[in-house]
Amino acid sequence: MFDLRPMTVDDLPACLSLWTGMPGITLFPATDSIEGLTRYLNRNPSLSVVAMREGAVVGAALAGHDARRGYLHHVAVAAEHRRKGLGRTMVEWCLTALTRAGIGRCHIFVDAGNDEGKVFWRRVGWEERPGVHVMSVTTDPERA
């Protein structure tokens, strides 16, 4: 029903179209641009996934690592294809790729108000870390 394969640079316009305006997905213009996402894919080859159906991207997940921990970003499934196991399958695909790369733990940042996302992540076995808060600093406003 769905074909999963590694995300390529050619998939990025369709992925951005899927992610744009999706509740729970926050995009940042500099880093979530074609250029920024191309850098991410080149730094983390064959770790991100797209789900295809009839030639169209209907799901996508960015995956990468810092040599210690893995990270998932923008895990999304088109509304009409949800609740069919596709999200779980994409996450498992990415985790398998990260494990092959020698990564033993993975994190995801979930928007605080994304209650549907939190339910999904708990359902697929992830746990919230209430003692951890994300803090950030901008080092280059052109790339923030």
Side-chain angles (χ1 to χ4, degrees), residues 81-113:
H81 298 293
R82 292 184 188 155
R83 309 244 189 284
K84 299 175 184 175
L86 183 55
R88 177 187 299 264
T89 301
M90 290 191 317
V91 169
E92 290 170 356
W93 191 100
C94 291
L95 293 177
T96 297
L98 288 165
T99 300
R100 279 194 305 258
I103 304 302
R105 186 168 186 85
C106 188
H107 303 294
I108 186 161
F109 301 103
V110 180
D111 285 356

PDB file of all heavy atoms in Angstrom, residues 81-113:
ATOM      1  N   HIS A  81      -4.208   9.519   5.409  1.00  0.00           N
ATOM      2  CA  HIS A  81      -3.492   8.243   5.536  1.00  0.00           C
ATOM      3  C   HIS A  81      -3.119   7.917   6.984  1.00  0.00           C
ATOM      4  O   HIS A  81      -2.375   6.967   7.224  1.00  0.00           O
ATOM      5  CB  HIS A  81      -2.242   8.254   4.657  1.00  0.00           C
ATOM      6  CG  HIS A  81      -2.567   8.397   3.209  1.00  0.00           C
ATOM      7  ND1 HIS A  81      -3.221   7.420   2.489  1.00  0.00           N
ATOM      8  CD2 HIS A  81      -2.362   9.429   2.351  1.00  0.00           C
ATOM      9  CE1 HIS A  81      -3.385   7.833   1.249  1.00  0.00           C
ATOM     10  NE2 HIS A  81      -2.886   9.040   1.137  1.00  0.00           N
ATOM     11  N   ARG A  82      -3.629   8.673   7.912  1.00  0.00           N
ATOM     12  CA  ARG A  82      -3.329   8.420   9.328  1.00  0.00           C
ATOM     13  C   ARG A  82      -4.141   7.245   9.862  1.00  0.00           C
ATOM     14  O   ARG A  82      -5.123   6.822   9.272  1.00  0.00           O
ATOM     15  CB  ARG A  82      -3.627   9.669  10.159  1.00  0.00           C
ATOM     16  CG  ARG A  82      -2.673  10.789   9.839  1.00  0.00           C
ATOM     17  CD  ARG A  82      -2.891  11.988  10.724  1.00  0.00           C
ATOM     18  NE  ARG A  82      -2.062  13.073  10.227  1.00  0.00           N
ATOM     19  CZ  ARG A  82      -2.317  14.346  10.422  1.00  0.00           C
ATOM     20  NH1 ARG A  82      -3.351  14.708  11.149  1.00  0.00           N
ATOM     21  NH2 ARG A  82      -1.520  15.263   9.923  1.00  0.00           N
ATOM     22  N   ARG A  83      -3.678   6.735  10.990  1.00  0.00           N
ATOM     23  CA  ARG A  83      -4.334   5.633  11.707  1.00  0.00           C
ATOM     24  C   ARG A  83      -4.303   4.325  10.912  1.00  0.00           C
ATOM     25  O   ARG A  83      -5.177   3.478  11.030  1.00  0.00           O
ATOM     26  CB  ARG A  83      -5.773   5.976  12.079  1.00  0.00           C
ATOM     27  CG  ARG A  83      -5.909   7.310  12.800  1.00  0.00           C
ATOM     28  CD  ARG A  83      -6.401   7.157  14.198  1.00  0.00           C
ATOM     29  NE  ARG A  83      -6.753   8.388  14.862  1.00  0.00           N
ATOM     30  CZ  ARG A  83      -5.896   9.268  15.362  1.00  0.00           C
ATOM     31  NH1 ARG A  83      -4.629   9.104  15.226  1.00  0.00           N
ATOM     32  NH2 ARG A  83      -6.317  10.342  15.995  1.00  0.00           N
ATOM     33  N   LYS A  84      -3.252   4.182  10.081  1.00  0.00           N
ATOM     34  CA  LYS A  84      -3.057   2.957   9.299  1.00  0.00           C
ATOM     35  C   LYS A  84      -1.703   2.323   9.609  1.00  0.00           C
ATOM     36  O   LYS A  84      -1.277   1.410   8.917  1.00  0.00           O
ATOM     37  CB  LYS A  84      -3.167   3.269   7.803  1.00  0.00           C
ATOM     38  CG  LYS A  84      -4.519   3.824   7.391  1.00  0.00           C
ATOM     39  CD  LYS A  84      -4.537   4.228   5.933  1.00  0.00           C
ATOM     40  CE  LYS A  84      -5.873   4.871   5.582  1.00  0.00           C
ATOM     41  NZ  LYS A  84      -5.891   5.378   4.202  1.00  0.00           N
ATOM     42  N   GLY A  85      -0.999   2.863  10.617  1.00  0.00           N
ATOM     43  CA  GLY A  85       0.303   2.327  10.993  1.00  0.00           C
ATOM     44  C   GLY A  85       1.478   2.930  10.246  1.00  0.00           C
ATOM     45  O   GLY A  85       2.619   2.539  10.466  1.00  0.00           O
ATOM     46  N   LEU A  86       1.210   3.891   9.370  1.00  0.00           N
ATOM     47  CA  LEU A  86       2.282   4.468   8.568  1.00  0.00           C
ATOM     48  C   LEU A  86       3.264   5.272   9.410  1.00  0.00           C
ATOM     49  O   LEU A  86       4.489   5.155   9.226  1.00  0.00           O
ATOM     50  CB  LEU A  86       1.708   5.331   7.444  1.00  0.00           C
ATOM     51  CG  LEU A  86       2.716   5.950   6.490  1.00  0.00           C
ATOM     52  CD1 LEU A  86       3.623   4.885   5.875  1.00  0.00           C
ATOM     53  CD2 LEU A  86       1.992   6.743   5.403  1.00  0.00           C
ATOM     54  N   GLY A  87       2.768   6.071  10.342  1.00  0.00           N
ATOM     55  CA  GLY A  87       3.658   6.850  11.206  1.00  0.00           C
ATOM     56  C   GLY A  87       4.590   5.936  11.988  1.00  0.00           C
ATOM     57  O   GLY A  87       5.807   6.143  12.028  1.00  0.00           O
ATOM     58  N   ARG A  88       4.032   4.913  12.596  1.00  0.00           N
ATOM     59  CA  ARG A  88       4.823   3.945  13.356  1.00  0.00           C
ATOM     60  C   ARG A  88       5.864   3.271  12.443  1.00  0.00           C
ATOM     61  O   ARG A  88       7.024   3.123  12.822  1.00  0.00           O
ATOM     62  CB  ARG A  88       3.913   2.892  13.965  1.00  0.00           C
ATOM     63  CG  ARG A  88       4.657   1.810  14.722  1.00  0.00           C
ATOM     64  CD  ARG A  88       3.727   0.690  15.166  1.00  0.00           C
ATOM     65  NE  ARG A  88       2.677   1.137  16.050  1.00  0.00           N
ATOM     66  CZ  ARG A  88       2.736   1.074  17.375  1.00  0.00           C
ATOM     67  NH1 ARG A  88       3.799   0.570  17.964  1.00  0.00           N
ATOM     68  NH2 ARG A  88       1.739   1.503  18.107  1.00  0.00           N
ATOM     69  N   THR A  89       5.455   2.894  11.251  1.00  0.00           N
ATOM     70  CA  THR A  89       6.367   2.223  10.323  1.00  0.00           C
ATOM     71  C   THR A  89       7.515   3.145   9.919  1.00  0.00           C
ATOM     72  O   THR A  89       8.669   2.712   9.845  1.00  0.00           O
ATOM     73  CB  THR A  89       5.591   1.732   9.085  1.00  0.00           C
ATOM     74  OG1 THR A  89       4.569   0.833   9.519  1.00  0.00           O
ATOM     75  CG2 THR A  89       6.496   1.029   8.102  1.00  0.00           C
ATOM     76  N   MET A  90       7.224   4.424   9.678  1.00  0.00           N
ATOM     77  CA  MET A  90       8.294   5.370   9.331  1.00  0.00           C
ATOM     78  C   MET A  90       9.259   5.558  10.499  1.00  0.00           C
ATOM     79  O   MET A  90      10.478   5.602  10.299  1.00  0.00           O
ATOM     80  CB  MET A  90       7.713   6.727   8.904  1.00  0.00           C
ATOM     81  CG  MET A  90       7.005   6.701   7.570  1.00  0.00           C
ATOM     82  SD  MET A  90       6.598   8.348   6.926  1.00  0.00           S
ATOM     83  CE  MET A  90       5.997   9.222   8.345  1.00  0.00           C
ATOM     84  N   VAL A  91       8.724   5.658  11.713  1.00  0.00           N
ATOM     85  CA  VAL A  91       9.580   5.811  12.892  1.00  0.00           C
ATOM     86  C   VAL A  91      10.475   4.586  13.042  1.00  0.00           C
ATOM     87  O   VAL A  91      11.686   4.714  13.254  1.00  0.00           O
ATOM     88  CB  VAL A  91       8.731   6.061  14.157  1.00  0.00           C
ATOM     89  CG1 VAL A  91       9.573   5.951  15.423  1.00  0.00           C
ATOM     90  CG2 VAL A  91       8.059   7.427  14.078  1.00  0.00           C
ATOM     91  N   GLU A  92       9.905   3.403  12.904  1.00  0.00           N
ATOM     92  CA  GLU A  92      10.706   2.175  13.000  1.00  0.00           C
ATOM     93  C   GLU A  92      11.783   2.140  11.923  1.00  0.00           C
ATOM     94  O   GLU A  92      12.911   1.721  12.171  1.00  0.00           O
ATOM     95  CB  GLU A  92       9.801   0.947  12.915  1.00  0.00           C
ATOM     96  CG  GLU A  92       8.930   0.767  14.142  1.00  0.00           C
ATOM     97  CD  GLU A  92       7.849  -0.291  13.976  1.00  0.00           C
ATOM     98  OE1 GLU A  92       7.695  -0.861  12.867  1.00  0.00           O
ATOM     99  OE2 GLU A  92       7.143  -0.535  14.975  1.00  0.00           O
ATOM    100  N   TRP A  93      11.448   2.582  10.718  1.00  0.00           N
ATOM    101  CA  TRP A  93      12.410   2.636   9.610  1.00  0.00           C
ATOM    102  C   TRP A  93      13.592   3.522  10.003  1.00  0.00           C
ATOM    103  O   TRP A  93      14.749   3.141   9.838  1.00  0.00           O
ATOM    104  CB  TRP A  93      11.695   3.169   8.362  1.00  0.00           C
ATOM    105  CG  TRP A  93      12.437   3.051   7.079  1.00  0.00           C
ATOM    106  CD1 TRP A  93      12.266   2.097   6.111  1.00  0.00           C
ATOM    107  CD2 TRP A  93      13.452   3.931   6.573  1.00  0.00           C
ATOM    108  NE1 TRP A  93      13.113   2.338   5.072  1.00  0.00           N
ATOM    109  CE2 TRP A  93      13.852   3.449   5.320  1.00  0.00           C
ATOM    110  CE3 TRP A  93      14.059   5.084   7.071  1.00  0.00           C
ATOM    111  CZ2 TRP A  93      14.827   4.083   4.561  1.00  0.00           C
ATOM    112  CZ3 TRP A  93      15.045   5.702   6.309  1.00  0.00           C
ATOM    113  CH2 TRP A  93      15.414   5.198   5.075  1.00  0.00           C
ATOM    114  N   CYS A  94      13.293   4.719  10.516  1.00  0.00           N
ATOM    115  CA  CYS A  94      14.356   5.658  10.911  1.00  0.00           C
ATOM    116  C   CYS A  94      15.180   5.103  12.070  1.00  0.00           C
ATOM    117  O   CYS A  94      16.411   5.219  12.067  1.00  0.00           O
ATOM    118  CB  CYS A  94      13.753   7.007  11.300  1.00  0.00           C
ATOM    119  SG  CYS A  94      13.049   7.938   9.925  1.00  0.00           S
ATOM    120  N   LEU A  95      14.527   4.503  13.064  1.00  0.00           N
ATOM    121  CA  LEU A  95      15.261   3.957  14.203  1.00  0.00           C
ATOM    122  C   LEU A  95      16.180   2.811  13.777  1.00  0.00           C
ATOM    123  O   LEU A  95      17.299   2.687  14.289  1.00  0.00           O
ATOM    124  CB  LEU A  95      14.294   3.505  15.293  1.00  0.00           C
ATOM    125  CG  LEU A  95      13.503   4.624  15.974  1.00  0.00           C
ATOM    126  CD1 LEU A  95      12.530   4.041  16.991  1.00  0.00           C
ATOM    127  CD2 LEU A  95      14.415   5.664  16.601  1.00  0.00           C
ATOM    128  N   THR A  96      15.728   2.004  12.842  1.00  0.00           N
ATOM    129  CA  THR A  96      16.584   0.929  12.321  1.00  0.00           C
ATOM    130  C   THR A  96      17.804   1.524  11.618  1.00  0.00           C
ATOM    131  O   THR A  96      18.931   1.061  11.810  1.00  0.00           O
ATOM    132  CB  THR A  96      15.786   0.024  11.366  1.00  0.00           C
ATOM    133  OG1 THR A  96      14.728  -0.593  12.106  1.00  0.00           O
ATOM    134  CG2 THR A  96      16.665  -1.043  10.738  1.00  0.00           C
ATOM    135  N   ALA A  97      17.597   2.567  10.825  1.00  0.00           N
ATOM    136  CA  ALA A  97      18.714   3.220  10.135  1.00  0.00           C
ATOM    137  C   ALA A  97      19.690   3.834  11.140  1.00  0.00           C
ATOM    138  O   ALA A  97      20.909   3.723  10.976  1.00  0.00           O
ATOM    139  CB  ALA A  97      18.189   4.284   9.171  1.00  0.00           C
ATOM    140  N   LEU A  98      19.172   4.455  12.195  1.00  0.00           N
ATOM    141  CA  LEU A  98      20.031   5.038  13.225  1.00  0.00           C
ATOM    142  C   LEU A  98      20.798   3.947  13.974  1.00  0.00           C
ATOM    143  O   LEU A  98      21.991   4.104  14.262  1.00  0.00           O
ATOM    144  CB  LEU A  98      19.213   5.884  14.200  1.00  0.00           C
ATOM    145  CG  LEU A  98      18.706   7.216  13.648  1.00  0.00           C
ATOM    146  CD1 LEU A  98      17.623   7.793  14.535  1.00  0.00           C
ATOM    147  CD2 LEU A  98      19.856   8.192  13.470  1.00  0.00           C
ATOM    148  N   THR A  99      20.145   2.840  14.265  1.00  0.00           N
ATOM    149  CA  THR A  99      20.808   1.734  14.949  1.00  0.00           C
ATOM    150  C   THR A  99      21.954   1.196  14.100  1.00  0.00           C
ATOM    151  O   THR A  99      23.054   0.949  14.610  1.00  0.00           O
ATOM    152  CB  THR A  99      19.794   0.608  15.274  1.00  0.00           C
ATOM    153  OG1 THR A  99      18.780   1.146  16.119  1.00  0.00           O
ATOM    154  CG2 THR A  99      20.468  -0.554  15.976  1.00  0.00           C
ATOM    155  N   ARG A 100      21.715   1.046  12.798  1.00  0.00           N
ATOM    156  CA  ARG A 100      22.790   0.590  11.887  1.00  0.00           C
ATOM    157  C   ARG A 100      23.959   1.564  11.877  1.00  0.00           C
ATOM    158  O   ARG A 100      25.103   1.179  11.652  1.00  0.00           O
ATOM    159  CB  ARG A 100      22.244   0.418  10.470  1.00  0.00           C
ATOM    160  CG  ARG A 100      21.523  -0.890  10.241  1.00  0.00           C
ATOM    161  CD  ARG A 100      21.322  -1.150   8.756  1.00  0.00           C
ATOM    162  NE  ARG A 100      20.635  -0.052   8.099  1.00  0.00           N
ATOM    163  CZ  ARG A 100      19.359  -0.040   7.755  1.00  0.00           C
ATOM    164  NH1 ARG A 100      18.599  -1.087   7.964  1.00  0.00           N
ATOM    165  NH2 ARG A 100      18.832   1.009   7.163  1.00  0.00           N
ATOM    166  N   ALA A 101      23.669   2.853  12.143  1.00  0.00           N
ATOM    167  CA  ALA A 101      24.724   3.876  12.174  1.00  0.00           C
ATOM    168  C   ALA A 101      25.419   3.924  13.539  1.00  0.00           C
ATOM    169  O   ALA A 101      26.281   4.765  13.768  1.00  0.00           O
ATOM    170  CB  ALA A 101      24.130   5.244  11.837  1.00  0.00           C
ATOM    171  N   GLY A 102      25.049   3.026  14.458  1.00  0.00           N
ATOM    172  CA  GLY A 102      25.686   2.957  15.762  1.00  0.00           C
ATOM    173  C   GLY A 102      25.066   3.834  16.827  1.00  0.00           C
ATOM    174  O   GLY A 102      25.666   4.066  17.876  1.00  0.00           O
ATOM    175  N   ILE A 103      23.849   4.309  16.587  1.00  0.00           N
ATOM    176  CA  ILE A 103      23.170   5.200  17.526  1.00  0.00           C
ATOM    177  C   ILE A 103      22.196   4.385  18.370  1.00  0.00           C
ATOM    178  O   ILE A 103      21.338   3.682  17.832  1.00  0.00           O
ATOM    179  CB  ILE A 103      22.430   6.326  16.766  1.00  0.00           C
ATOM    180  CG1 ILE A 103      23.406   7.091  15.872  1.00  0.00           C
ATOM    181  CG2 ILE A 103      21.694   7.244  17.729  1.00  0.00           C
ATOM    182  CD1 ILE A 103      24.576   7.728  16.592  1.00  0.00           C
ATOM    183  N   GLY A 104      22.307   4.501  19.691  1.00  0.00           N
ATOM    184  CA  GLY A 104      21.507   3.684  20.588  1.00  0.00           C
ATOM    185  C   GLY A 104      20.363   4.388  21.277  1.00  0.00           C
ATOM    186  O   GLY A 104      19.596   3.754  21.996  1.00  0.00           O
ATOM    187  N   ARG A 105      20.228   5.692  21.084  1.00  0.00           N
ATOM    188  CA  ARG A 105      19.118   6.433  21.723  1.00  0.00           C
ATOM    189  C   ARG A 105      18.711   7.555  20.777  1.00  0.00           C
ATOM    190  O   ARG A 105      19.545   8.158  20.111  1.00  0.00           O
ATOM    191  CB  ARG A 105      19.556   7.002  23.068  1.00  0.00           C
ATOM    192  CG  ARG A 105      18.433   7.659  23.841  1.00  0.00           C
ATOM    193  CD  ARG A 105      18.861   7.931  25.294  1.00  0.00           C
ATOM    194  NE  ARG A 105      17.776   8.414  26.085  1.00  0.00           N
ATOM    195  CZ  ARG A 105      16.871   7.661  26.703  1.00  0.00           C
ATOM    196  NH1 ARG A 105      16.934   6.364  26.606  1.00  0.00           N
ATOM    197  NH2 ARG A 105      15.919   8.196  27.425  1.00  0.00           N
ATOM    198  N   CYS A 106      17.415   7.840  20.751  1.00  0.00           N
ATOM    199  CA  CYS A 106      16.901   8.859  19.842  1.00  0.00           C
ATOM    200  C   CYS A 106      15.950   9.779  20.586  1.00  0.00           C
ATOM    201  O   CYS A 106      15.239   9.356  21.501  1.00  0.00           O
ATOM    202  CB  CYS A 106      16.180   8.180  18.672  1.00  0.00           C
ATOM    203  SG  CYS A 106      15.699   9.311  17.359  1.00  0.00           S
ATOM    204  N   HIS A 107      15.925  11.041  20.186  1.00  0.00           N
ATOM    205  CA  HIS A 107      15.045  12.058  20.765  1.00  0.00           C
ATOM    206  C   HIS A 107      14.188  12.681  19.669  1.00  0.00           C
ATOM    207  O   HIS A 107      14.561  12.681  18.497  1.00  0.00           O
ATOM    208  CB  HIS A 107      15.855  13.189  21.406  1.00  0.00           C
ATOM    209  CG  HIS A 107      16.811  12.738  22.454  1.00  0.00           C
ATOM    210  ND1 HIS A 107      16.408  12.193  23.653  1.00  0.00           N
ATOM    211  CD2 HIS A 107      18.164  12.749  22.485  1.00  0.00           C
ATOM    212  CE1 HIS A 107      17.469  11.898  24.382  1.00  0.00           C
ATOM    213  NE2 HIS A 107      18.552  12.219  23.692  1.00  0.00           N
ATOM    214  N   ILE A 108      13.061  13.231  20.085  1.00  0.00           N
ATOM    215  CA  ILE A 108      12.247  14.057  19.193  1.00  0.00           C
ATOM    216  C   ILE A 108      11.753  15.248  20.004  1.00  0.00           C
ATOM    217  O   ILE A 108      11.473  15.123  21.199  1.00  0.00           O
ATOM    218  CB  ILE A 108      11.060  13.292  18.569  1.00  0.00           C
ATOM    219  CG1 ILE A 108      10.356  14.188  17.554  1.00  0.00           C
ATOM    220  CG2 ILE A 108      10.100  12.764  19.624  1.00  0.00           C
ATOM    221  CD1 ILE A 108       9.485  13.457  16.567  1.00  0.00           C
ATOM    222  N   PHE A 109      11.670  16.396  19.363  1.00  0.00           N
ATOM    223  CA  PHE A 109      11.113  17.585  19.983  1.00  0.00           C
ATOM    224  C   PHE A 109       9.653  17.676  19.544  1.00  0.00           C
ATOM    225  O   PHE A 109       9.374  17.740  18.356  1.00  0.00           O
ATOM    226  CB  PHE A 109      11.871  18.841  19.544  1.00  0.00           C
ATOM    227  CG  PHE A 109      13.326  18.804  19.886  1.00  0.00           C
ATOM    228  CD1 PHE A 109      14.278  18.541  18.916  1.00  0.00           C
ATOM    229  CD2 PHE A 109      13.744  19.014  21.191  1.00  0.00           C
ATOM    230  CE1 PHE A 109      15.623  18.495  19.234  1.00  0.00           C
ATOM    231  CE2 PHE A 109      15.085  18.964  21.526  1.00  0.00           C
ATOM    232  CZ  PHE A 109      16.030  18.711  20.544  1.00  0.00           C
ATOM    233  N   VAL A 110       8.737  17.673  20.504  1.00  0.00           N
ATOM    234  CA  VAL A 110       7.306  17.755  20.209  1.00  0.00           C
ATOM    235  C   VAL A 110       6.808  19.110  20.683  1.00  0.00           C
ATOM    236  O   VAL A 110       7.030  19.481  21.843  1.00  0.00           O
ATOM    237  CB  VAL A 110       6.531  16.614  20.915  1.00  0.00           C
ATOM    238  CG1 VAL A 110       5.042  16.699  20.601  1.00  0.00           C
ATOM    239  CG2 VAL A 110       7.091  15.250  20.516  1.00  0.00           C
ATOM    240  N   ASP A 111       6.154  19.843  19.803  1.00  0.00           N
ATOM    241  CA  ASP A 111       5.605  21.145  20.190  1.00  0.00           C
ATOM    242  C   ASP A 111       4.735  20.977  21.430  1.00  0.00           C
ATOM    243  O   ASP A 111       3.944  20.033  21.523  1.00  0.00           O
ATOM    244  CB  ASP A 111       4.771  21.740  19.055  1.00  0.00           C
ATOM    245  CG  ASP A 111       5.612  22.286  17.914  1.00  0.00           C
ATOM    246  OD1 ASP A 111       6.850  22.279  18.010  1.00  0.00           O
ATOM    247  OD2 ASP A 111       5.011  22.722  16.909  1.00  0.00           O
ATOM    248  N   ALA A 112       4.875  21.903  22.386  1.00  0.00           N
ATOM    249  CA  ALA A 112       4.185  21.811  23.667  1.00  0.00           C
ATOM    250  C   ALA A 112       2.668  21.655  23.509  1.00  0.00           C
ATOM    251  O   ALA A 112       2.043  20.923  24.255  1.00  0.00           O
ATOM    252  CB  ALA A 112       4.508  23.031  24.527  1.00  0.00           C
ATOM    253  N   GLY A 113       2.082  22.306  22.529  1.00  0.00           N
ATOM    254  CA  GLY A 113       0.633  22.237  22.333  1.00  0.00           C
ATOM    255  C   GLY A 113       0.170  21.122  21.417  1.00  0.00           C
ATOM    256  O   GLY A 113      -1.019  21.017  21.109  1.00  0.00           O
TER     257      GLY A 113
END
